[in-house]
Amino acid sequence: MKKWTNLLFISFTFLLVSCVMNAKPESGENKTAAKGEVIVLDKASFLTKVYNYEKNQNEWVYEGDKPCIIDFYADWCGPCKKVAPILHDLAILYKNDIVVYKINVDNEKELAQTFGIQSIPTILFVPVKGKPQKATGALPREEFVKQIDSYLLGK
């Protein structure tokens, strides 16, 4: 009987540990944005978090509550690789003020085509109100800071 009790106890312990290990963390993007990380978007998340161009075809309506930067990039692109650490640092520096997104143009061809992305990196600076501004090429950190402070945050 003692063997069965021990076996039952061990089985229960393994079950409990397995449930704890498989528990899902709380909302991923909000937690990620709060930490100041760059968030990868696909079409579905773009439509809900940035702009639903299927619903609002004639007017830009930003879906977010903080200004954002969107980096259209590709993994093979040298200038994109140069911009990535700058955007990561800025996401941390401005974590309370803006959100930094990135979209892989090889995986999200429809989004790239919708926004007329013909060269990469292409950066969209999206204020809460108003239309986004587009910049092409590997911008230096100083230019990002200038655009964030003046255009997105109005400082």
Side-chain angles (χ1 to χ4, degrees), residues 127-147:
V128 174
K129 294 185 187 212
K131 295 190 177 195
Q133 286 186 354
K134 187 189 288 188
T136 304
L139 302 176
R141 180 185 174 90
E142 298 77 31
E143 185 61 28
F144 278 107
V145 170
K146 179 181 168 189
Q147 289 295 330

Side-chain angles (χ1 to χ4, degrees), residues 10-154:
I10 291 170
S11 298
F12 178 74
T13 304
F14 281 125
L15 179 65
L16 185 63
V17 169
S18 125
C19 287
V20 169
M21 296 296 282
N22 288 325
K24 290 186 179 181
E26 56 181 89
S27 174
E29 184 197 319
N30 291 338
K31 203 172 181 185
T32 301
K35 290 164 87 176
E37 294 181 19
V38 178
I39 301 164
V40 178
L41 293 178
D42 59 9
K43 179 185 175 188
S45 58
F46 181 88
L47 293 174
T48 60
K49 294 174 185 11
V50 180
Y51 169 50
N52 189 336
Y53 56 87
E54 294 176 338
K55 184 173 94 176
N56 301 308
Q57 296 176 357
N58 298 323
E59 180 183 6
W60 174 270
V61 178
Y62 180 51
E63 303 290 340
D65 58 356
K66 287 183 186 178
C68 73
I69 295 174
I70 304 168
D71 173 25
F72 287 89
Y73 77 102
D75 291 330
W76 50 264
C77 168
C80 299
K81 291 177 184 179
K82 188 176 178 182
V83 167
I86 295 170
L87 288 174
H88 177 71
D89 290 346
L90 294 173
I92 294 168
L93 182 65
Y94 289 96
K95 69 182 175 187
N96 296 322
D97 302 315
I98 67 168
V99 180
V100 179
Y101 296 115
K102 65 183 194 173
I103 297 171
N104 186 321
V105 297
D106 290 331
N107 298 339
E108 301 298 331
K109 291 180 174 146
E110 181 182 333
L111 282 174
Q113 184 178 12
T114 299
F115 287 92
I117 307 301
Q118 295 181 351
S119 64
I120 51 175
T122 294
I123 311 295
L124 287 182
F125 294 93
V126 183
V128 174
K129 294 185 187 212
K131 295 190 177 195
Q133 286 186 354
K134 187 189 288 188
T136 304
L139 302 176
R141 180 185 174 90
E142 298 77 31
E143 185 61 28
F144 278 107
V145 170
K146 179 181 168 189
Q147 289 295 330
I148 292 168
D149 288 343
S150 65
Y151 186 68
L152 296 182
L153 302 178

